Amino acid sequence: MQNSNEQFPEDFLWGVATAAHQVEGETFNDWRSWEIANASYWAAAAGPRLDYGNGTLPMVNWLRLAPEAINPDNYISGRAIDNWNLWREDIGLAESLGMTSLRFSVEWSRIQPNPYSINKTALAHYVQIAQELRSRRMEPIVTLHHFTKPTWFSASGGWERNESPIIFEKFTQIVGRAMSDAGISGLRYTVINEPEQAVLSHLRGTHPPGKKNPYKYLQVIRHMAEGHNVAFDSLKDIDASNQVASALSVWDLEPKQNRFERVSQSLISAIRPFLLDYFRDRTVDQMDFIGVNHYMHNVIDAFKIYRNFGMWQNSNAEPRSDLGWYLHPESLHKVLLDVSRHKKPVMVTESGVATQNDKVRERYLVDTINAVKRAIDDGVDVRGFLHWTLVDNFEWPPIGWMGKFGLVAVDRETMERTPKPSAYLYRDIIKRNGVIDGN
Ligand code: BGC
């Protein structure tokens, strides 16, 4: 670990990212149906290795997590953390920790409960959140699509449909106009969160609609890219000062260092265009900045075809998150350098760790922030860092509630929030505009 005493740029944004379905409660969309249909299966399948559909990862502290993991309720979002009602409190919490930005998502299924009508109350809710943030000098960053889709959209083919970009565009216009009519200008948007998630929905089949079809996978990403591009044009037409991006999931893929390293490297070069670059290459010209979500570092061994190229072979290395994800902060530095080749400003739109051990979170926070600083020192134009996430929330199954990514704990009976030591550490980093020795 290295510490940097130098500060971040003056107007660097420090904050957190959240997503509607994971925090609001009582959202009814394709995910809600998926959870209800599969909760018992996930609970029965739970074990010391978490099954991600293309291999398993060893969980840390399995015995501590097991009571939650084997309970079907772990996989139901339900009331979530009641942020639909407690949104003001959560903004207050972020403000009290000194944050200058908050990324949240608008729930499409609330705003358009059917294709023909708009729920004005829901729309006003999100406008109010953006206004409240601005009034507290925190920059809102609005995600328009964070995994969940209205059931009417999914039922008619979802992103597989050729018309899907146009249907999505209408929704983005509804939100964009409402924000602009309310006088919110120069708003930052991350249109689509992690389009690469189509790997899970259409290749591995672990996210809804649970398909395993390479053709449909590419079709879905292509349509999402078109969706991004038409949303970009609409949001710019509505207000030319809007800053529009999408939040990419950027993995760090590294070849295994053995005598077959060059073959593994060629393999990475061969799969990258379909895994990481397919959406990016089609949209990057229509991005004002690039959002980078980063969690994964993977060592690829071409000769482990039988085990997904050993994709997760480094899962036994330490340190790991509770979910078995190998923690490698240096990867963030690497992916930021990689993304900088597009010559656009970059924002870390998500970075964090699922752990019940807050010391692990503290270490990871400091190390990843230092990795961002090194990227800035190397010339990357990084504009902000958003930690995932503010409050422990509902994680996408097969993880569910047992994945604790928050700076703040929550009692799900009383909904009382309690900041963890990492929350105060983050507050201090923000106050000093960077990590100082001793953090
Ligand atoms: C998603 C978040 C999720 C986080 C941790 C990201 O891929 O955008 O919604 O909670 O990873 O799993």
Side-chain angles (χ1 to χ4, degrees):
M1 180 207 58
Q2 289 170 21
N3 274 345
S4 157
N5 281 313
E6 286 168 44
Q7 293 194 322
F8 277 68
E10 198 59 37
D11 49 0
F12 192 80
L13 293 178
W14 295 102
V16 277
T18 66
H21 185 72
Q22 297 178 264
V23 297
E24 285 182 355
E26 308 310 347
T27 40
F28 295 96
N29 48 40
D30 60 336
W31 264 94
R32 178 66 169 240
S33 318
W34 183 251
E35 290 156 25
I36 290 167
N38 292 295
S40 302
Y41 164 76
W42 290 317
R49 296 188 70 93
L50 199 53
D51 187 353
Y52 287 91
N54 73 335
T56 61
L57 282 181
M59 296 178 71
V60 175
N61 294 328
W62 163 245
L63 290 179
R64 251 174 90 185
L65 299 173
E68 269 182 297
I70 61 173
N71 181 349
D73 287 348
N74 179 60
Y75 307 99
I76 305 278
S77 50
R79 283 178 73 204
I81 54 167
D82 199 22
N83 170 272
W84 180 258
N85 295 306
L86 299 176
W87 62 276
R88 243 197 210 95
E89 284 80 348
D90 285 343
I91 291 177
L93 197 52
E95 185 189 26
S96 74
L97 296 169
M99 295 182 196
T100 52
S101 184
L102 194 147
R103 174 176 171 235
F104 65 96
S105 78
V106 296
E107 175 61 32
W108 186 1
S109 63
R110 282 195 196 272
I111 294 175
Q112 283 193 290
N114 61 60
Y116 317 105
S117 62
I118 299 173
N119 179 334
K120 296 229 167 77
T121 314
L123 194 54
H125 174 90
Y126 295 113
V127 170
Q128 233 185 334
I129 292 181
Q131 284 172 323
E132 182 78 15
L133 286 165
R134 281 268 167 97
S135 76
R136 297 187 194 218
R137 296 183 181 282
M138 294 168 79
E139 267 310 300
I141 301 176
V142 181
T143 304
L144 294 165
H145 185 283
H146 198 122
F147 296 177
T148 52
K149 300 172 276 304
T151 46
W152 57 261
F153 177 74
S154 304
S156 66
W159 286 107
E160 291 169 30
R161 256 181 95 180
N162 290 339
E163 300 78 10
S164 55
I166 302 300
I167 301 173
F168 179 66
E169 182 189 20
K170 280 200 189 119
F171 163 64
T172 63
Q173 287 171 342
I174 294 169
V175 178
R177 287 225 176 84
M179 293 290 181
S180 173
D181 290 350
I184 305 166
S185 67
L187 187 55
R188 288 178 179 80
Y189 288 92
T190 41
V191 175
I192 296 189
N193 181 70
E194 298 192 356
E196 302 81 1
Q197 176 260 359
V199 168
L200 306 177
S201 60
H202 285 81
L203 272 187
R204 292 191 207 155
T206 53
H207 281 193
K211 297 201 176 162
K212 296 183 180 179
N213 182 328
Y215 171 74
K216 288 205 185 304
Y217 161 75
L218 293 177
Q219 194 180 31
V220 161
I221 299 208
R222 260 198 321 273
H223 289 155
M224 282 187 164
E226 280 172 42
H228 168 95
N229 290 338
V230 287
F232 177 91
D233 291 343
S234 291
L235 294 167
K236 294 300 241 185
D237 279 352
I238 290 168
D239 175 356
S241 69
N242 283 335
Q243 294 289 302
V244 186
S246 271
L248 310 174
S249 173
V250 193
W251 293 33
D252 176 21
L253 301 175
E254 190 185 300
K256 172 94 173 168
Q257 285 177 8
N258 57 21
R259 62 202 168 99
F260 304 117
E261 184 178 344
R262 284 172 61 187
V263 184
S264 299
Q265 181 56 60
S266 311
L267 176 74
I268 292 173
S269 308
I271 59 175
R272 238 197 99 113
F274 301 101
L275 201 62
L276 293 179
D277 298 337
Y278 207 69
F279 179 89
R280 198 199 294 189
D281 288 348
R282 286 168 171 71
T283 52
V284 76
D285 290 341
Q286 275 155 296
M287 291 210 200
D288 291 314
F289 66 96
I290 301 177
V292 171
N293 291 3
H294 175 70
Y295 295 91
M296 292 287 180
H297 170 267
N298 292 94
V299 178
I300 304 289
D301 183 346
F303 284 82
K304 294 225 167 118
I305 289 185
Y306 61 95
R307 279 212 302 126
N308 299 295
F309 304 110
M311 190 116 167
W312 285 342
Q313 62 191 294
N314 54 340
S315 62
N316 285 320
E318 295 290 344
R320 281 180 293 148
S321 80
D322 282 356
L323 312 174
W325 304 2
Y326 174 48
L327 303 177
H328 191 256
E330 185 50 32
S331 289
L332 183 53
H333 174 247
K334 211 171 131 190
V335 301
L336 289 172
L337 287 181
D338 168 45
V339 167
S340 72
R341 73 190 145 94
H342 301 294
K343 311 258 177 283
K344 300 263 172 155
V346 181
M347 168 126 35
V348 179
T349 36
E350 281 183 33
S351 163
V353 49
T355 178
Q356 306 216 6
N357 179 350
D358 201 48
K359 290 254 172 278
V360 171
R361 187 177 347 271
E362 290 189 311
R363 183 74 280 139
Y364 193 66
L365 191 61
V366 167
D367 290 348
T368 44
I369 289 173
N370 278 328
V372 176
K373 183 61 173 58
R374 284 198 299 284
I376 294 176
D377 293 343
D378 289 342
V380 186
D381 182 5
V382 190
R383 302 284 174 94
F385 176 88
L386 306 178
H387 179 264
W388 183 271
T389 184
L390 182 62
V391 183
D392 286 337
N393 65 20
F394 178 72
E395 263 305 314
W396 312 99
I399 302 169
W401 287 101
M402 67 183 163
K404 309 275 190 249
F405 276 92
L407 296 166
V408 176
V410 61
D411 176 328
R412 283 175 51 220
E413 288 298 313
T414 62
M415 293 295 171
E416 193 188 341
R417 275 83 162 133
T418 312
K420 304 174 191 176
S422 55
Y424 298 118
L425 170 66
Y426 194 35
R427 182 193 59 189
D428 293 344
I429 292 172
I430 296 172
K431 204 192 262 164
R432 293 163 182 152
N433 199 24
V435 172
I436 59 152
D437 282 337
N439 271 142

